[in-house]
Amino acid sequence: MPTRSARAWAAESAASSLAPASIERREPLPSDVEIDILFCGVCHSDLHQIRNEWQNSIYPLVPGHEIVGRVARVGSTVTRFKAGDLAGVGCMVDSCRTCDACRRGLEQYCEPGATYTYNSVDPHLGGPTFGGYSERVTVDEAFVLRISDRVDLAATAPLLCAGITTYSPLRHWNVGPGQKVGIIGLGGLGHMGVKFARAFGAHVVLFTTSPGKVADGLRLGAHEVVVSRDAEAMSRQTASFDFILDAVSAAHDVNTYLHLLKIDGTLTIVGVPEQPLPIAAFSVIGGRHRFAGSGIGGIQETQEMLDFCAERGIACDIEMIRIDQVNDAYERMLKGDVRYRFVIDMASLKQ
Ligand code: NAP
Ligand code: ZN
Ligand code: ZN
């Protein structure tokens, strides 16, 4: 299959930092869209996978699944995009399209497994798929999202993962007016969880380990912010929540939060800490609580979320970086020092 090389930044092993690399991208097939990447968000999942914390990484690994760019070329059967259009790519670039999950628009739960934007086996070229820390990407139009030309493109890029991963569970569990909703962790996902829960009309409580983020939590839309290390403040919240979304990237005690649910309340985890989290039976038995999970969101729902954000003026709070600052950005991310998403300006790849 004909390919063209593209500049990228890659990790060669679980122990390496990211460094410049050259990758091959396929020339557009009839249903493909070729996108020149303008911005790519930095998700904590990028770091988990670079360091093989989920024990499934294949190298070289080019991360990045919060991609916004401009269409360069399209294949002969593409109908929804033309050269010059804005386009987005999230966590998936393909799926089987025929299983029950795919037919329901839940490609993220595709039975044989979706093809992820990076760190999957590339069905066309073999070897790993390569993500958005690169100058260009070729994706089947069925997995390309439309981006409004009225939005801030850099601040929109992280919606492709942090946005949909919080929007989808809040919608699925019908978060809305009259409900008390908790968001745990004010990082990339958490800050979008706060914005969406507020936009959907709930009473929003942010839980953070960082006293320095209290003012930001209120500014971003939380009605209350609780510093989770304050045991007394935590106990005042006992048995009062309809729904809690857990967006923490590292080990933490979920039992503490399960006790904050009302009868029949649900705690949904989207964070993926490296190690399993112990749950005491009494944390779910008392109050008939539910502990659930949620993965990103389907393509149709991702488009719905992007359109909702464009209409309502919702975007991410970002700090723009150059690609050569990405390794330092990971160190800051590990310390919880992100306000609230790093976004790479891809023009810096060519400088
Ligand atoms: P992030 O920006 O690094 O934010 C994580 C936040 O968790 C931090 O800002 C911090 O918030 C809190 N935190 C960190 N370490 C903690 C600790 N030891 N104890 C308690 N709180 C801690 O990460 P992200 O990009 O939002 O991603 C969050 C998690 O979601 C990651 O594990 C990522 O892989 C996962 N993820 C899952 C999906 C999915 O489909 N389910 C999709 C994308 C990402 P405070 O300072 O406020 O405490
Ligand atoms: Zn992500
Ligand atoms: Zn499928």
Side-chain angles (χ1 to χ4, degrees):
M1 177 172 295
T3 63
R4 188 152 71 105
S5 56
R7 278 173 284 207
W9 274 51
E12 291 301 328
S13 77
S16 17
S17 301
L18 289 193
S22 178
I23 58 170
E24 292 301 313
R25 294 292 195 193
R26 69 177 181 273
E27 287 285 78
L29 296 168
S31 59
D32 278 342
V33 178
E34 184 190 62
I35 300 163
D36 287 331
I37 301 174
L38 296 170
F39 300 103
C40 185
V42 176
C43 180
H44 206 114
S45 302
D46 299 349
L47 184 55
H48 287 306
Q49 289 174 89
I50 291 164
R51 304 204 171 161
N52 197 20
E53 289 177 6
W54 300 340
Q55 274 124 47
N56 66 351
S57 296
I58 31 181
Y59 299 91
L61 194 149
V62 176
H65 56 208
E66 296 183 335
I67 300 168
V68 165
R70 208 169 275 286
V71 175
R73 291 186 291 167
V74 297
S76 56
T77 65
V78 170
T79 56
R80 292 167 46 244
F81 294 92
K82 59 179 189 321
D85 286 351
L86 293 169
V89 179
C91 301
M92 299 178 286
V93 288
D94 216 337
S95 71
C96 86
R97 308 188 198 192
T98 57
C99 74
D100 182 52
C102 286
R103 284 202 309 269
R104 291 171 61 197
L106 299 168
E107 298 87 355
Q108 73 275 33
Y109 307 128
C110 173
E111 287 159 22
T115 302
Y116 291 96
T117 304
Y118 66 87
N119 198 30
S120 270
V121 173
D122 188 324
H124 300 281
L125 302 179
T129 52
F130 295 124
Y133 296 15
S134 60
E135 63 179 318
R136 210 179 328 109
V137 65
T138 310
V139 181
D140 189 288
E141 79 164 323
F143 283 75
V144 181
L145 287 309
R146 291 184 310 279
I147 304 286
S148 160
D149 53 15
R150 287 171 288 122
V151 300
D152 176 335
L153 296 181
T156 291
L159 295 177
L160 274 305
C161 175
I164 185 60
T165 303
T166 49
Y167 181 94
S168 182
L170 292 170
R171 282 292 195 217
H172 180 77
W173 275 278
N174 296 314
V175 161
Q179 291 185 348
K180 187 173 173 188
V181 170
I183 306 288
I184 317 175
L186 196 63
L189 267 56
H191 94 290
M192 290 315 301
V194 168
K195 289 190 188 198
F196 285 135
R198 177 71 186 240
F200 298 167
H203 180 86
V204 184
V205 181
L206 167 70
F207 295 96
T208 178
T209 58
S210 309
K213 293 182 183 174
V214 172
D216 277 348
L218 296 169
R219 175 180 62 79
L220 292 164
H223 296 92
E224 300 174 53
V225 180
V226 176
V227 175
S228 52
R229 299 192 200 282
D230 179 344
E232 213 171 288
M234 289 293 282
S235 74
R236 282 199 293 272
Q237 301 286 340
T238 300
S240 66
F241 284 85
D242 297 281
F243 184 78
I244 299 179
L245 188 69
D246 183 338
V248 174
S249 53
H252 60 290
D253 183 10
V254 280
N255 298 288
T256 317
Y257 295 98
L258 286 165
H259 289 298
L260 305 189
L261 293 170
K262 287 181 185 166
I263 292 172
D264 289 330
T266 299
L267 185 152
T268 295
I269 193 160
V270 288
V272 190
E274 192 176 354
Q275 301 296 334
L277 301 168
I279 294 178
F282 280 125
S283 301
V284 283
I285 288 174
R288 199 160 57 189
H289 299 150
R290 283 178 286 233
F291 180 69
S294 182
I296 47 174
I299 294 299
Q300 196 188 323
E301 191 175 39
T302 304
Q303 189 65 61
E304 173 193 309
M305 177 274 313
L306 288 167
D307 296 346
F308 177 83
C309 289
E311 227 164 78
R312 301 284 288 265
I314 296 173
C316 303
D317 284 37
I318 64 158
E319 179 176 339
M320 192 95 81
I321 59 168
R322 297 188 315 270
I323 187 79
D324 61 10
Q325 293 174 302
V326 74
N327 291 307
D328 293 337
Y330 290 139
E331 293 311 316
R332 285 184 49 197
M333 183 181 252
L334 280 175
K335 288 187 243 155
D337 176 22
V338 188
R339 305 210 172 201
Y340 282 89
R341 197 57 140 190
F342 292 117
V343 171
I344 306 166
D345 180 356
M346 271 317 148
S348 63
L349 197 65
K350 297 170 190 167
Q351 285 160 4

